[in-house]
Amino acid sequence: MSNVFSFTGTIGRDAEVRSTPSGQTVLNVTVANNIGFGDRQQTLWVRVALWGKRAEGSFPSYLKKGQQVFVSGELTQREYQANDGTTRTSLELNANIIDLVGGKRNDQNAPMQQQQTQQQPQAQQNYQQPAQQNQQTQQQGFGANDTYDDVPF
C-alpha cells in the first residue's frame, strides 16, 4: 500500500455493518477531523470502511457517535452527482486500523462517572497520606495494592 492516510477524529454517526452479496462483511463509519485553526478551521469528513473479520463481532458496538478514534488506511477520492445536479467530492478510506482513542461523550457513561465520583474522596485521602501508603505497601508486598484488574487492554 503506497497511499497511507492516518488521523485521529470523532465518529459522526454510529457504525453500520452490512454484508455484500458475495458474503464479505463491511463496517462503514463517518469520522470528522478538524483541520486548520482560528477562523480558518474546517471539519474534514471521511467515510471509513473496514472489511472482513475485523468488521464482525462486538467491535462495531463500540463505534458510536462521539467516540474518538485513530484511523489508518488507503485514502481515495470519489466524485458523484448530488440530487441537485452538482458534482460533489467525498473522501473514503479503506481502513487497516481503527483504534479507540478517547472516552465517549454521551450519557451512557453516567454510571461510570458516578463510580468515579464516589471513589474520588478515597483517592484524595490516599494522596494526602503518601508516606503511610508507602509503608503499608512495603509491609504487604508488591502485589497488595494492584488495582489494575479493570483495565480493558
Side-chain angles (χ1 to χ4, degrees), residues 14-76:
D14 294 355
E16 298 174 358
V17 179
R18 61 181 176 83
S19 294
T20 63
S22 64
Q24 193 170 16
T25 305
V26 61
L27 178 142
N28 291 309
V29 66
T30 305
V31 180
N33 182 320
N34 291 331
I35 56 174
F37 58 92
D39 295 339
R40 296 178 183 241
Q41 187 173 17
Q42 295 179 334
T43 302
L44 177 69
W45 289 93
V46 180
R47 294 177 47 135
V48 177
L50 184 67
W51 293 85
K53 293 209 179 267
R54 294 177 291 170
E56 299 172 358
S58 64
F59 183 60
S61 65
Y62 292 100
L63 300 176
K64 300 290 183 187
K65 181 178 179 176
Q67 173 68 49
Q68 291 185 344
V69 292
F70 169 79
V71 183
S72 182
E74 185 174 350
L75 186 67
T76 58

Side-chain angles (χ1 to χ4, degrees), residues 56-131:
E56 299 172 358
S58 64
F59 183 60
S61 65
Y62 292 100
L63 300 176
K64 300 290 183 187
K65 181 178 179 176
Q67 173 68 49
Q68 291 185 344
V69 292
F70 169 79
V71 183
S72 182
E74 185 174 350
L75 186 67
T76 58
Q77 184 175 352
R78 186 175 68 90
E79 290 186 359
Y80 63 95
Q81 293 290 327
N83 291 339
D84 60 0
T86 60
T87 301
R88 298 209 178 163
T89 303
S90 73
L91 294 175
E92 298 178 356
L93 186 108
N94 278 331
N96 293 325
I97 299 170
I98 297 180
D99 286 333
L100 304 178
V101 176
K104 195 162 107 177
R105 288 188 259 160
N106 68 11
D107 293 335
Q108 291 180 356
N109 285 340
M112 289 175 60
Q113 291 172 353
Q114 287 176 347
Q115 284 179 344
Q116 289 174 351
T117 305
Q118 291 172 358
Q119 293 174 358
Q120 188 175 7
Q122 181 183 2
Q124 288 176 352
Q125 183 180 8
N126 287 343
Y127 286 120
Q128 291 170 358
Q129 301 171 357

